[in-house]
Every structure is written in structure tokens, then in C-alpha cells.
Amino acid sequence: MLSFKDYTMKFSETLIPTLREVPGDAVIVSHRLMLRAAMLRKLSNGLFAYLPLGLRSFRKVERIIREEMDAIGALEIKPTVVVPGELWKESGRWDSMGEALLRVKNRLGSDFVVSPTAEEAFTALVRDELSSYRQLPLSLYQINTKYRDEVRPRYGVMRGREFTMKDAYSFHTNEESLDETYQKMGRAYRRIFKRCGLTVIPVQADSGAMGGTGSEEFMVESEIGDNTLLLCKAGDYAANVEKAGCKPDYSAPASPEAAKAAAASIPALEKIDTPHVRTIEELCAFLKTDAKKFIKTLIYKAVNVELDLSSAPGCSKLQRRKPAPDAPEVYPEAFFAVAIRGDLDVNEVKLAAIIKAAEVMLAADTDVERITGAPVGFAGPVGLSTVPVIADETVTAMNDAVAGALAKDLHYTHVAYGRDFGPWLVTDLRTVVAGDRCPVCGGELYEKKGNELGHIFKLGYKYTTSMKVSYLDENGKSHTPTMGCYGIGLDRTLASAIEEHHDDQGILWPITLAPFHVIIIPIKYDGAVKAVTDQIVAELEQKGIEILLDDRNERPGVKFNDADLIGIPYRVVVGDKNLAGDTPKVEVKARAEKENRLVEVSKAADELAALVFSALAELNR
Ligand code: ATP
Ligand code: MG
């Protein structure tokens, strides 16, 4: 049961210090409006306080998420935000997480972490309680504070340092069970965002080096989004650029042998002088041909590589090590040559995923010189044996190409894949761009900028292995469960709703997130106007409508502007003029509409309630 205060709030008794001007550092609409509408105040860089109005909307996002999580059988728990550093050492992330992880010590000198996410805490809790397969599958969630020491917090609560996340973690005996929960979560996420009035684009995402098998991000289109999405015009495909693939724009031979056969008619490899020519552009100009004819070869350094390199060229001396006591063995550092068609860019996220590396980066010039035996600019796959060569699939279709000759001012022409070189690995490494072909229907792909609101991810065994979680099957045999994780940022979701729903005057709340359903503005809260206002408020309250009563002694213009700014979906104005006569009336206006209507006082509450409930039903359907 809601208390009186939950239904009706008097403007004069709450704290809604709206602003006409906004601080200069607020550059995006949601940040500006959240400050101006007095939802939010900044405490420090990346740290914000929700004021009463903002908190009401925040709680509504929270309630929607909770309802949808409960509906799919996820169980809410509430761990602490500060967790023992030990758990993070077990998982290996104490060392691998970098500076975003806030590490603190207590008075006894023990290490703690202020949770940026909670795989460790949930895995540890489940480890202690799990014994039998009968307890699985199990989905647990929390809606709780997170802290990430973001380098550049910006755009208000879109990227704060402290924020609130719904994070869920599921545990399973097998892949099918994990997939079932993953699908359920995906459906729940679609419902959550729909109920919040948000248009989200679910996209396939990178599942990372940890061997995850599925990953979907829920994006909203946004100019300030730091994700690039590739979308099919026919709606057949949507992916984060980190993951996006495309239909081949070349015809690849079936095998290296077929490639070699196809190259039979190509002239033999020839070394040519290319003085002072290093870049693809310079080469194109020098040889008067286009970039698609070049095999671009880049030397990469990779950190903590999990892929087995024992049979890879140039890797026989590499030693494996464990970054953390229970973590899998990795090569702390390894170098690779990546060959790709000259008009394309290497997708470093794909590369890192393929070689299971924590991080990849272009090698330093001195490393390039050591590996290729030439200054930067002359790397090529022919005769390169100091590092493993990884070729993008486009290279397999190249049989009369130009490539660096591993010597200063020299290139090879007539280079043929299969005849002149055979890479250690062939895989998809290209960065897909607008104009490339949809991998499903072959139609054109286009790009959009996106902001991530939520993420669902099949984690697999990463944490359950490193943190030694086990259960017994029906035969008493011990197994490790597989795991999924599922996050949504509440603050970012709320801010995104404002990004999608506003006009020049202020916010246009989807009714499900509006701090109040109705704002009632008596022109002067006194006499007959006050009596009618109180009557309508009482009737609306009876029906469960949430009302902000602007009882302030302000000019009507000020109250109207604030009402528009705050964005409450329905406005009722009670004034002397409309109350005079046989059938006293009030003005009713939807925030999204220009015109108001006169409604008889005796019918006002019924009519408003009908509007509110049908708007709610529409979004909650
Ligand atoms: P981003 O790439 O934007 O930093 P992320 O990949 O780090 O996001 P996750 O770790 O998947 O995000 O966290 C789940 C959700 O938490 C995100 O989808 C986002 O809504 C929210 N979130 C993450 N970082 C922040 C932040 N600094 N401020 C507000 N919300 C955040
Ligand atoms: Mg992040």
C-alpha cells in the first residue's frame, strides 16, 4: 500500500529547485534536463545525487526491472557493495581489471574491492551453497550500487563513477539450460525497455577472450554513443562493429591447394624497388593500382595469450605462466603478423578473441624491425617465419598481389596465397563498414552510433573454474557449472528515456517512468479554486493516480514552464474563470499535445484516470 505521500506531493513541501540556466559542463539533453528539472545534482565528478523527483523516476525503472526479473524466476539477493579482495584475486581480476577497479584497505590492512560488477561475489556465494545438480539451474540478481573509476566520467549519469546496475548471474549443468535462461533474459530485457518507452536495438556482441558463446547488447541510438552498430537495411542483421561480419565481397578458393592451382597462370613472385614508399597510399600512387591489390601486414603484440602456440612459427621459446594461482596458463606476451586486404582495417577485438588475448596492440617500431628484419612499412607474409602469420579470409582470394618483401625499399609483386605463402591461421578479422553486405540477406549494411543500456552474456566456465565451483550429478560425480551474466544500467536507462522523449520545453516522460502521472496547477491555491483542486486530488488519489500539486504562490507562467520542464504526462489547470457558470470546468492537457480541453469538474478525475491507465497499459502490455 502506498502512503498518502506516495500519491500526492505538494510542490511547496518537496524539493524541486528547477533551474533556468544549466551548468556549462552539461552538454547532452538528458544531463541538462535532469539538472534543470531538479532530478539530479552533482556531488563531484561522476558522482550524482538524485533529488526527490529524480528518485521517483529512478524507482520506477527499478520496479519495472524487478518485476520482469521476478517474472522469469530470477531470485533477488542483496550482497554487499564492498567485497573481499581475496575473491578478486581468486578470479584473477584483482590484477587484470586495471585502474577502473577501486581497491581499498580497511584498518586491519585487508584488501577490499568496491564492486564494479559482481561475478566474484555471486560465484563465491553459490560455491558455498551448491552441492547437487538438483539446485540448478539457478538465477540470482541484485539491483545495487556499482563503482567504476572511469577515466572520463561524462554526460551526467550516462557514464558516472558510482551508478546502479541490475546484475544477474545464472548457473547451469549444461549448455542447453544456459541457453534457455539466456533467451529468457533476452525476452525480459526487450520487455523492460519497451515498458520504459525505449526503442532499443539488440545487437550481437563480442563474447571476448574468455570463450563465451553468446553475447547480446541492448543499444539505443545516440550521437554520443561510443559503440558503432552495423545494421541491415532489411532488418536481417544487427551487430556491434566489434563482432560484425559481412558477406564476402570476393570469391575465395575452397582450399590452399585450390588457391595454388588457381595461381598457376600468375607470373612468378618478383621483387621490385619501391624507394621511400611505405604506406598503402604511397604504394597505390607508385604502382598506379588500388589498395585491394595489396596485402597489408601488421605486426601485433598480444598480452596474456591463452591460445596454444606450441606449434606456431617462431613461438617455440615462449613460456606459459599463470597470471593468478588458479587461472589458466597464458603466454604473457606474444607477437603476430596479421595480413589483410589493403583496403580493409583489422578488427582488434576479433583478433583478441581469436588468439584469446587479454589485449592486443600494434607492436612498437623496434619490435617490428626485429621481427621483419626491415624498417616499418615493409612487412609481408612471404618468408616471414619469426612470428605466426594470421590472415584475414580476404587474403585467400588474392593471387596477384603486392606485399612487403621484409627488406627496406622492397616489395613483392605477383604474390599468390597458397603458392607463395601459407598463413598459420586464416580467420575473419576485417572491420565491417557501412556499405558492406549483410551476412544474412546480402543487402547493404549501414552504421549507427549506439549507447549500451544492457548486456547479456554466456560466460561459460571462466569464474566457476577459477573459483572452483562444483556440484555432484545423479551418480555422485563432481562437475563444474556453466554460467551466464546479465546487466542493465538503471541510471543510463533513465537518462536514455529522456534522450528519446523531450522537446525544447523539457521532458516528455513515458508514463511508466514519470515521477507523477498528473500535475495539477491551481492558478491561485485559494477559495473555490482550492476546493475544486482538493476535490479532484482526492478523487484521483482514490483511483491510485500519482499527483504533483503545484500549490506555490507563483505566476501561472512560471508554473506552466516548470510543468513542461518536469514533463509530467497530464496537466490539469484549475482557474476561477472556468469554474464560473453552471457547469464548472478545468483545463486538461497532455504534455505531448499543444491544445488543452475543458472538462467538467465532475468528470475530470474519471477522464484523467482513464487516460493514465490506458497510457500505462499501452506501455506495460
Ligand atoms: P561501457 O562500454 O559503456 O563502459 P560496459 O560494457 O562496461 O559499458 P557492462 O560492464 O556490461 O558495461 O555493464 C552493464 C551496464 O551497466 C551497461 O550496459 C550500462 O548500462 C551500465 N554501465 C556501465 N558502466 C557505467 C557507467 N560508468 N555509468 C553508468 N552506467 C554504466
Ligand atoms: Mg565500461
Side-chain angles (χ1 to χ4, degrees):
M1 190 62 189
L2 293 172
S3 71
F4 174 82
K5 269 259 174 274
D6 286 320
Y7 284 119
T8 309
M9 205 170 253
K10 283 186 173 164
F11 216 119
S12 66
E13 292 171 1
T14 179
L15 177 69
I16 312 180
T18 56
L19 302 174
R20 224 158 273 162
E21 304 294 329
V22 259
D25 65 343
V27 288
I28 64 165
V29 166
S30 58
H31 189 192
R32 298 163 72 92
L33 288 176
M34 286 174 100
L35 292 171
R36 286 192 54 209
M39 296 175 65
L40 204 68
R41 286 295 181 263
K42 177 169 155 178
L43 278 176
S44 173
N45 220 358
L47 300 178
F48 294 91
Y50 283 93
L51 300 188
L53 207 57
L55 187 61
R56 286 185 69 101
S57 290
F58 178 89
R59 292 283 183 234
K60 292 193 174 183
V61 176
E62 185 176 357
R63 190 193 298 172
I64 289 171
I65 293 175
R66 182 172 283 121
E67 283 174 4
E68 295 299 332
M69 285 296 108
D70 293 349
I72 58 167
L75 306 172
E76 185 169 5
I77 65 170
K78 193 189 164 300
T80 54
V81 173
V82 175
V83 302
E86 276 317 307
L87 298 178
W88 284 71
K89 289 175 189 167
E90 278 184 51
S91 75
R93 288 207 290 187
W94 177 267
D95 295 314
S96 68
M97 183 89 176
E99 294 299 305
L101 182 65
L102 184 62
R103 302 160 177 90
V104 292
K105 272 192 199 300
N106 73 357
R107 66 174 80 198
L108 301 173
S110 314
D111 286 323
F112 290 88
V113 155
V114 185
S115 294
T117 170
E119 282 78 2
E120 282 78 0
F122 277 69
T123 305
L125 283 165
V126 168
R127 172 175 62 191
D128 292 348
E129 303 311 320
L130 184 64
S131 52
S132 158
Y133 70 97
R134 286 191 208 86
Q135 295 165 281
L136 300 176
L138 177 65
S139 299
L140 300 174
Y141 77 97
Q142 66 175 331
I143 299 178
N144 215 343
T145 302
K146 300 285 177 293
Y147 187 90
R148 294 182 183 182
D149 226 7
E150 300 273 356
V151 200
R152 216 152 67 84
R154 59 189 183 280
Y155 309 136
V157 295
M158 282 280 190
R159 183 173 302 282
R161 287 200 166 119
E162 186 176 304
F163 60 98
T164 302
M165 200 201 286
K166 183 286 298 176
D167 43 330
Y169 305 87
S170 68
F171 299 82
H172 309 267
T173 56
N174 60 60
E175 185 67 25
E176 293 72 54
S177 166
L178 169 58
D179 191 60
E180 197 179 307
T181 297
Y182 178 84
Q183 301 295 343
K184 267 195 213 167
M185 286 283 177
R187 286 192 293 273
Y189 274 41
R190 283 166 173 78
R191 275 192 55 75
I192 288 167
F193 295 122
K194 180 191 177 288
R195 291 182 62 184
C196 292
L198 279 160
T199 313
V200 292
I201 310 171
V203 299
Q204 293 178 29
D206 167 48
S207 11
M210 46 176 94
T213 48
S215 170
E216 195 175 23
E217 290 165 342
F218 293 79
M219 298 280 185
V220 282
E221 190 186 348
S222 162
E223 273 172 35
I224 53 128
D226 30 36
N227 294 273
T228 301
L229 317 181
L230 282 135
L231 308 168
C232 163
K233 285 191 173 157
D236 288 325
Y237 185 72
N240 192 317
V241 67
E242 295 182 342
K243 159 87 178 177
C246 66
K247 197 170 177 175
D249 51 354
Y250 55 91
S251 55
S255 64
E257 293 73 41
K260 196 172 172 184
S265 59
I266 308 296
L269 200 61
E270 191 183 327
K271 230 177 226 180
I272 57 164
D273 278 324
T274 50
H276 315 300
V277 172
R278 281 161 189 249
T279 65
I280 296 272
E281 293 72 35
E282 287 165 356
L283 255 177
C284 281
F286 185 78
L287 297 174
K288 300 193 180 49
T289 170
D290 87 289
K292 287 191 172 172
K293 285 279 175 202
F294 295 99
I295 297 174
K296 173 156 82 180
T297 306
L298 301 163
I299 308 299
Y300 275 96
K301 177 169 124 174
V303 177
N304 289 351
V305 179
E306 215 182 304
L307 188 67
D308 182 3
L309 299 177
S310 51
S311 65
C315 295
S316 58
K317 294 212 180 87
L318 290 185
Q319 295 289 321
R320 284 198 248 204
R321 248 194 281 141
K322 281 176 184 278
D326 290 313
E329 287 199 324
V330 294
Y331 301 94
E333 189 178 283
F335 290 87
F336 298 85
V338 174
I340 192 166
R341 203 176 68 200
D343 61 319
L344 302 175
D345 287 322
V346 173
N347 181 330
E348 296 181 355
V349 178
K350 286 185 185 174
L351 176 62
I354 288 288
I355 60 177
K356 299 185 187 230
E359 214 184 329
V360 299
M361 64 212 79
L362 283 171
D365 288 1
T366 49
D367 288 321
V368 175
E369 284 162 23
R370 174 176 55 79
I371 288 162
T372 65
V376 175
F378 301 96
V382 181
L384 184 60
S385 58
T386 44
V387 291
V389 176
I390 304 179
D392 176 61
E393 285 162 353
T394 49
V395 169
T396 63
M398 302 181 75
N399 63 9
D400 192 359
V402 178
L406 306 178
K408 186 170 189 305
D409 294 343
L410 287 176
H411 278 82
Y412 281 122
T413 55
H414 310 307
V415 179
Y417 164 78
R419 182 188 72 179
D420 303 319
F421 71 97
W424 178 65
L425 189 70
V426 174
T427 183
D428 166 39
L429 287 178
R430 75 192 276 176
T431 301
V432 174
V433 296
D436 284 343
R437 300 277 145 200
C438 168
V440 180
C441 72
E444 200 175 315
L445 295 173
Y446 65 101
E447 282 182 15
K448 264 191 179 164
K449 286 274 168 228
N451 216 348
E452 179 196 316
L453 302 188
H455 192 180
I456 60 176
F457 195 102
K458 290 184 187 173
L459 274 171
Y461 297 90
K462 180 178 158 83
Y463 296 93
T464 47
T465 305
S466 61
M467 297 183 71
K468 297 201 173 71
V469 186
S470 67
Y471 66 90
L472 297 178
D473 69 11
E474 52 265 73
N475 303 314
K477 199 164 167 262
S478 177
H479 297 276
T480 306
T482 184
M483 201 176 156
C485 70
Y486 320 88
I488 294 184
L490 275 74
D491 318 79
R492 201 181 278 181
T493 297
L494 186 63
S496 298
I498 298 174
E499 292 287 328
E500 187 169 337
H501 303 281
H502 67 268
D503 62 15
D504 290 346
Q505 277 64 52
I507 304 168
L508 283 144
W509 281 114
I511 192 142
T512 44
L513 304 189
F516 297 92
H517 301 132
V518 172
I519 181 165
I520 182 158
I521 303 179
I523 296 294
K524 198 158 189 289
Y525 193 48
D526 198 13
V529 169
K530 180 171 187 296
V532 169
T533 300
D534 289 347
Q535 178 198 330
I536 295 174
V537 166
E539 286 175 38
L540 285 174
E541 246 170 35
Q542 278 296 314
K543 297 172 192 290
I545 305 289
E546 301 165 13
I547 312 138
L548 179 61
L549 166 52
D550 194 347
D551 60 337
R552 291 176 300 170
N553 200 2
E554 287 282 359
R555 281 180 293 113
V558 170
K559 295 189 186 185
F560 294 164
N561 285 345
D562 276 347
D564 281 351
L565 176 60
I566 293 166
I568 293 168
Y570 298 101
R571 186 184 88 181
V572 182
V573 179
V574 188
D576 272 329
K577 212 173 76 201
N578 292 321
L579 292 183
D582 297 343
T583 47
K585 297 193 173 78
V586 292
E587 271 180 20
V588 172
K589 187 176 107 51
R591 171 65 179 85
E593 285 162 16
K594 286 256 164 307
E595 302 303 317
N596 59 49
R597 294 180 297 119
L598 287 177
V599 176
E600 284 179 31
V601 169
S602 60
K603 295 184 182 147
D606 279 343
E607 213 169 286
L608 280 160
L611 287 170
V612 168
F613 290 128
S614 86
L616 281 169
E618 177 63 27
L619 283 175
N620 285 329
R621 197 151 43 110

